[in-house]
């Protein structure tokens, strides 16, 4: 009888041990979820820009959170009735030698929430390395099933799992940045066909001192939040996310699609990657928290055309490793000269408005009207709940369309000669990602066009011709005296002709 009791006691102990370890494993993997969707949540701390900090300065510590779920089936539901929750314990700083080195702005953390704060480094700090630790707790958010509209509440608990961030203290920090663009493999797609839409990236840093690092276990965060298509008339026209490349989504065009062009937008949050110091071999984590909306326009035709909307023969595709996450991947970044910058006599001007700048027939195009004025000219209303619609430009070489042919005919009738043609299209992206092409603005917008090399310093007089939505030809005179550029103001957009 005593042996039987001992066996039962041992069996209960083993069951309790297994139960505790299974719970701990579930918390560690962050897979605990209430509801049907399979989800995971990854939370970590990142130092703004890079994990390099300077004595006597401040470094923002950013709380990063990625929710991974089937984007083809679900969408995040985040409003007053369906809030996102993310709990954490106190942040603890260690390794410092100065009492002036401390964490500030930790009110969110002290309130039990996973949030950002600031590392303040004393001028007398002697440590070369500082460590910040943070314990993670429960999390939860809501998903809406796209097909049925049913809302699921998914939750999990990291069970006090600790997240560490190491910051290197230096005398001087380096600058790092990332440029992101959205490009499709095909400029036009046939009905019932598809094309890949990829984020192309270039990393900017001191190449004499650092090199990009992508060894095993060192993943780069591209910051992709979502990717949507608009302008479609067919429900079967959609964006698909497939495994195999972190930077890629697929536009699938329905066989019954009636639209002549489709607009693909990609909402992106912060980015991160790793660099290695060429002299010391040290590996540093680099991060930025800029949000950006990327866009590309794809024509709908009878068959696919391989001349990608933003690709050029000299620009190789980035190479990405397969990853389970839509937000991370290893890459060898391509180098790319910006076409939204125009060189002038007094330096260079960069466009004030984002978008797709792909015109190679001219030496760059830049919108120089301040962004806020461009938004007002595009009829964008004031921000609501902290959100506001965006304006973007799509500028490329002139497409062979009836509109281009009509414009060239009008230029000839005006006694001018068409040097080249470009498309300058303006788009408004609503808060929910819907894209609307806008052919006119309520006030004029100024843009600078760089003359092709063969036209520079020739003594010729150049102007721009544009055919308005009303079918009337307009000649826009050059407003500057720079022999290498043409500056015009217009409230009409579409195909434009550089004339002489």
């Amino acid at each position: 009888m005593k042996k039987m009791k001992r066996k039962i006691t041992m069996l209960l102990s083993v069951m309790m041990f297994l139960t505790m370890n299974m719970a701990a494993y579930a918390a560690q993997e962050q897979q605990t979820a209430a509801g049907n969707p399979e989800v995971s949540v990854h939370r970590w701390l990142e130092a703004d820009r890079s994990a390099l900090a300077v004595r006597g300065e401040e470094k923002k510590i950013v709380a990063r959170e990625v929710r991974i779920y089937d984007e083809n089936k679900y969408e995040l539901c985040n409003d007053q009735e369906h809030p996102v929750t993310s709990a954490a314990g106190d942040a603890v700083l260690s390794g410092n030698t100065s009492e002036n080195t401390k964490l500030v702005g930790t009110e969110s953390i002290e309130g039990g929430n996973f949030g950002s704060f600031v590392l303040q480094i004393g001028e007398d700090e002697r440590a070369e390395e500082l460590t910040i630790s943070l314990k993670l707790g429960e999390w939860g958010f809501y998903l809406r099933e796209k097909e049925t509209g049913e809302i699921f509440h998914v939750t999990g608990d990291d069970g006090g799992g600790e997240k560490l961030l190491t910051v290197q203290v230096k005398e001087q920090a380096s600058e790092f940045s990332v440029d992101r663009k959205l490009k499709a493999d095909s400029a036009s797609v046939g009905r019932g066909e598809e094309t890949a839409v990829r984020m192309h990236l270039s990393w900017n840093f001191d190449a004499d001192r650092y090199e990009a690092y992508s060894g095993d276990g060192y993943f780069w965060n591209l910051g992709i939040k979502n990717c949507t298509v608009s302008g479609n008339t067919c429900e079967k026209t959609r964006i698909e996310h497939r495994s195999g490349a972190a930077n890629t989504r697929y536009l699938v065009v329905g066989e019954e699609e009636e639209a002549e062009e489709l607009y693909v937008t990609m909402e992106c949050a912060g980015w991160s990657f790793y660099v290695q110091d060429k002299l010391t071999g040290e590996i540093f984590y680099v991060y930025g928290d800029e949000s950006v909306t990327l866009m590309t326009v794809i024509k709908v035709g009878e068959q696919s055309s391989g001349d990608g909307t933003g690709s050029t023969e000299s620009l190789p595709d980035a190479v990405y490793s397969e990853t389970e996450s839509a937000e991370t991947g290893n890459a060898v970044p391509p180098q790319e000269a910006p076409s939204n910058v125009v060189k002038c006599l007094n330096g260079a001007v960069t466009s004030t408005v984002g978008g797709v700048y792909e015109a190679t027939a001219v030496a760059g195009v830049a919108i120089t009207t301040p962004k806020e004025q461009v938004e007002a000219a595009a009829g964008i209303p004031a921000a609501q709940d902290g959100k506001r619609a965006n304006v973007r430009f799509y500028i490329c070489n002139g497409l062979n369309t009836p509109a281009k042919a009509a414009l060239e005919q009008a230029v000839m009738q005006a006694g001018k000669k068409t040097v080249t043609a470009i498309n300058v299209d303006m788009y408004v992206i609503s808060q929910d990602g819907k894209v609307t092409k806008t052919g006119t603005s309520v006030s004029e917008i100024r843009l600078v066009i760089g003359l092709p090399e063969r036209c520079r310093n020739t003594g010729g007089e150049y102007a721009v011709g544009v055919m308005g939505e009303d079918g009337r030809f307009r000649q826009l005179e050059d407003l500057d005296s720079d022999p290498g550029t043409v500056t015009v103001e217009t409230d009409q957009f579409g195909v434009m002709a550089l004339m002489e």
Side-chain angles (χ1 to χ4, degrees), residues 340-404:
N340 64 337
V341 177
V342 179
K343 293 182 179 179
C344 304
L345 283 177
N346 299 323
V349 292
T350 302
S351 186
T352 58
V353 182
V356 180
Y357 291 77
E358 300 295 348
T360 58
V362 294
V365 179
I367 309 299
T368 59
T369 300
K371 183 181 178 183
E372 295 76 11
Q373 295 180 25
V374 175
E375 291 173 344
I380 294 178
Q384 298 178 1
D385 299 327
K387 298 181 180 180
R388 184 174 185 174
N390 293 306
V391 61
R392 292 289 185 270
F393 279 87
Y394 176 58
I395 301 176
C396 63
N397 293 342
L399 304 174
N400 291 320
T401 62
K404 179 185 176 185

Side-chain angles (χ1 to χ4, degrees), residues 177-247:
S177 65
V178 166
D179 293 324
R180 295 175 283 190
K181 292 187 176 181
L182 189 63
K183 301 178 181 181
D185 285 2
S186 300
S188 63
V189 184
R191 293 170 176 85
E193 298 183 356
E194 65 178 47
T195 183
V197 182
R198 310 178 194 275
M199 176 198 287
H200 286 238
L201 307 100
S202 60
W203 274 254
N204 309 310
F205 52 82
D206 184 355
D208 294 329
R209 180 176 178 182
Y210 301 102
E211 60 184 355
Y213 186 82
S214 57
D216 291 341
Y218 290 84
F219 291 101
W220 297 2
N221 181 8
L222 308 181
I224 300 174
K225 294 172 60 180
N226 60 65
C227 186
T228 58
V229 59
S230 60
N232 54 303
T233 63
C234 176
E235 291 184 357
K236 292 185 178 180
T237 296
R238 62 194 183 277
I239 294 292
E240 289 189 357
H241 174 211
R242 305 168 187 170
S243 61
N247 70 318

Side-chain angles (χ1 to χ4, degrees), residues 10-26:
M10 290 178 63
L11 181 60
L12 290 172
S13 299
V14 170
M15 290 177 66
M16 289 177 64
F17 175 81
L18 290 173
T19 301
M20 291 171 63
N21 278 275
M22 287 176 67
Y25 176 78

Side-chain angles (χ1 to χ4, degrees), residues 23 26-27 29-34 39 139 154-157:
E29 291 298 305
Q30 301 181 341
Q31 297 289 344
T32 306
V39 303
W139 53 263
V154 291
T155 61
D157 190 348

Side-chain angles (χ1 to χ4, degrees), residues 57 60 72 74 104 128 170 262 273 300 316 318 327 338 343 380 384 386 439 469 478 497:
E57 296 185 2
K60 184 178 179 181
N72 296 320
Y74 301 99
V104 297
E128 296 183 353
K170 301 289 183 180
L262 299 170
F273 64 100
V300 180
E327 287 74 24
K343 293 182 179 179
I380 294 178
Q384 298 178 1
E469 283 190 338
D478 189 5

